[in-house]
Amino acid sequence: RDTLFVRWLENTLLVAFVSTAISLFAGITAAYALARLNFRGANTLGILIFVTYLVPPTLLFIPLSDVIGNLPILHTNLLNSPWALIVAYPTFQVPFCTWLLTGYFRTIPKELEEAAMVDGATRIQAMIKIVLPLALPGVLSAGMFAFTLSANEFLYALIMIYDAGNKTVPVGVVSELIKGDVFYWGELMSGALLGSVPVALIYSFF
């Protein structure tokens, strides 16, 4: 009641849902291309995408915050707003979703798409109407992991957001409920519990 917890929760859900949607769109298209289209360097590209996911965030947050701070979007500075996190989070979510979905798409027989294209479907129609419905469990798994990663992320949110009203739950609870060596344990435990409810509901539902 005496903090901006509701605002932090709104920011967390906004960042998590939008960044997950962006990451899923990019991950699905990239994974489908790697799994189905035969082009030179496909395997190498797939390995490089996965290696990108393994780069520690501690090596990236300084240059990434500088890049986001200088993005010429509507002549406004994205730093200190949830949109900074929405731009930053796909940098580690897209490689993960791509890597996860590439393996899933390869388990779906190519003959199903070939039959659809023989009947007049384009490659995109075959992907949307044939492959995606069959790959829905994999897409949901990638979406849940991406949502969890973005909802629980701490380092980027700590570096890029400094106004109390724009913080997410992980950063807001820690920064506002720990004053020096004084820990407000009741509020910290309540914030941790309530912050985990959206993720728990999504896991339970899907």
Side-chain angles (χ1 to χ4, degrees):
R1 184 176 64 246
D2 298 329
T3 67
L4 297 172
F5 183 82
V6 175
R7 182 69 180 274
W8 300 338
L9 189 59
E10 292 173 353
N11 294 335
T12 302
L13 294 177
L14 172 66
V15 169
F17 278 114
V18 176
S19 62
T20 298
I22 295 171
S23 302
L24 277 181
F25 176 78
I28 287 171
T29 52
Y32 182 82
L34 292 173
R36 285 292 191 262
L37 304 181
N38 295 321
F39 59 92
R40 182 179 299 176
N43 291 332
T44 303
L45 181 61
I47 293 172
L48 289 176
I49 289 175
F50 181 61
V51 170
T52 302
Y53 173 70
L54 299 178
V55 176
T58 50
L59 297 178
L60 297 178
F61 72 86
I62 293 178
L64 189 59
S65 61
D66 185 56
V67 169
I68 293 175
N70 292 313
L71 281 177
I73 299 178
L74 299 178
H75 303 287
T76 60
N77 193 339
L78 293 182
L79 288 179
N80 195 32
S81 74
W83 292 102
L85 303 180
I86 290 172
V87 173
Y89 286 172
T91 59
F92 59 83
Q93 290 178 345
V94 170
F96 175 78
C97 292
T98 302
W99 172 74
L100 186 66
L101 291 173
T102 299
Y104 202 94
F105 284 153
R106 285 175 177 164
T107 64
I108 300 174
K110 294 181 179 179
E111 291 77 11
L112 297 175
E113 296 163 80
E114 293 171 354
M117 288 187 281
V118 167
D119 290 337
T122 64
R123 169 71 71 173
I124 295 177
Q125 288 175 331
M127 180 186 74
I128 294 175
K129 296 182 178 180
I130 304 297
V131 176
L132 283 184
L134 294 174
L136 189 60
V139 173
L140 291 177
S141 298
M144 285 191 296
F145 278 113
F147 183 89
T148 304
L149 287 173
S150 58
N152 294 334
E153 201 281 326
F154 182 81
L155 181 61
Y156 290 159
L158 178 66
I159 298 299
M160 297 181 184
I161 307 294
Y162 35 88
D163 282 350
N166 293 329
K167 293 179 179 179
T168 57
V169 169
V171 176
V173 168
V174 171
S175 62
E176 301 297 324
L177 296 179
I178 298 177
K179 303 296 184 183
D181 59 351
V182 178
F183 292 75
Y184 297 94
W185 285 113
E187 291 81 354
L188 282 169
M189 295 299 101
S190 299
L193 175 63
L194 293 175
S196 66
V197 166
V199 176
L201 289 177
I202 287 177
Y203 271 84
S204 299
F205 181 76
F206 286 110

